[in-house]
Amino acid sequence: AQSVTQLGSHVSVSEGALVLLRCNYSSSVPPYLFWYVQYPNQGLQLLLKYTSAATLVKGINGFEAEFKKSETSFHLTKPSAHMSDAAEYFCAVRTSGAGSYQLTFGKGTKLSVIP
Amino acid sequence: DAMVIQNPRYQVTQFGKPVTLSCSQTLNHNVMYWYQQKSSQAPKLLFHYYDKDFNNEADTPDNFQSRRPNTSFCFLDIRSPGLGDAAMYLCATSRGGGKDSPLHFGNGTRLTVT
């Protein structure tokens, strides 16, 4: 079964520092991977998705992620953290299920940005 | 803007008292999903509609039901809420159920059970 594992439930960075949120996937077939962001008391917003077209995927708000098959990873990065990036981030993979492909989430990583 | 709208944002119900949460969408997507998200946890899929076809996850309790009267609306009914059902309930849509179709989420309804 396909799944994702997010390393680190909580990450703190200083404003202006590099953001690195880790996600590893487990899949026997090429995965379709997504990163979502969730601000407090809100729904999830799509940051970016990997669908095998390019290994380096650029998303919104300056985030990007690189698909590395050899490392089974899809880590999310941003060169310079902003206070507004403080949120919870979920890595997700499309998995086959009843009727269609379902979206299965990792446990999430809460990002804190220190001024 | 096309979007997924959930009402209400906050819902308080009493233990055992039926409650209905609503979701509407202007994206004209044919797939609609209901997720349950408990505090500090990942969203968990309860069920989804692919067009009119209802698909229940194997571990979704019978206490949870859903209705989709038309393409735009979907409802989550909790027949007898327990304290353990307190959570954020997220509605999402997608165009088709393919692997590369992203989900579009509403802002959720936070359910409190007293």
Side-chain angles (χ1 to χ4, degrees):
Chain A
Q2 296 178 329
S3 65
V4 289
T5 301
Q6 291 184 244
L7 299 175
S9 59
H10 200 161
V11 170
S12 291
V13 300
S14 297
E15 190 174 17
L18 171 72
V19 176
L20 171 61
L21 304 181
R22 299 177 188 274
C23 174
N24 288 88
Y25 68 89
S26 170
S27 174
S28 58
V29 298
Y32 282 54
L33 297 161
F34 303 79
W35 274 101
Y36 282 83
V37 60
Q38 186 177 33
Y39 298 99
N41 288 315
Q42 292 191 22
L44 281 76
Q45 181 182 9
L46 179 67
L47 277 176
L48 48 83
K49 66 177 184 179
Y50 168 74
T51 58
S52 78
T55 56
L56 182 62
V57 182
K58 294 189 183 298
I60 62 171
N61 301 340
F63 284 93
E64 62 182 35
E66 186 172 8
F67 176 77
K68 291 187 177 180
K69 185 177 179 180
S70 61
E71 299 177 7
T72 62
S73 68
F74 189 56
H75 300 333
L76 182 70
T77 60
K78 182 174 180 177
S80 177
H82 192 271
M83 295 298 294
S84 61
D85 295 327
E88 188 148 24
Y89 292 79
F90 291 94
C91 182
V93 63
R94 278 288 213 175
T95 57
S96 59
S100 64
Y101 287 96
Q102 314 311 322
L103 196 62
T104 300
F105 290 91
K107 292 187 176 181
T109 298
K110 188 166 288 187
L111 176 67
S112 298
V113 181
I114 304 165
Chain B
D1 286 340
M3 55 193 347
V4 181
I5 302 165
Q6 291 188 243
N7 285 306
R9 289 295 310 278
Y10 300 92
Q11 175 74 58
V12 180
T13 191
Q14 292 177 336
F15 183 94
K17 184 174 181 182
V19 66
T20 295
L21 309 182
S22 301
C23 177
S24 64
Q25 55 128 341
T26 59
L27 296 163
N28 202 32
H29 285 170
N30 60 327
V31 189
M32 295 188 76
Y33 309 77
W34 279 105
Y35 280 83
Q36 178 193 62
Q37 185 180 25
K38 295 190 176 180
S39 183
S40 300
Q41 294 185 23
K44 178 179 178 298
L45 182 65
L46 293 173
F47 27 59
H48 76 280
Y49 276 93
Y50 194 111
D51 295 319
K52 295 182 180 180
D53 294 332
F54 178 70
N55 297 277
N56 201 27
E57 292 301 296
D59 57 355
T60 298
D62 293 339
N63 197 26
F64 291 85
Q65 305 284 319
S66 185
R67 295 171 284 134
R68 189 179 186 186
N70 54 53
T71 301
S72 301
F73 286 86
C74 197
F75 300 97
L76 170 62
D77 301 308
I78 308 176
R79 291 192 295 186
S80 182
L83 297 179
D85 297 327
M88 174 79 91
Y89 290 87
L90 296 165
C91 175
T93 71
S94 68
R95 185 183 304 282
K99 292 179 75 175
D100 63 345
S101 297
L103 270 61
H104 300 259
F105 285 83
N107 279 329
T109 294
R110 183 167 295 283
L111 178 69
T112 300
V113 181
T114 62

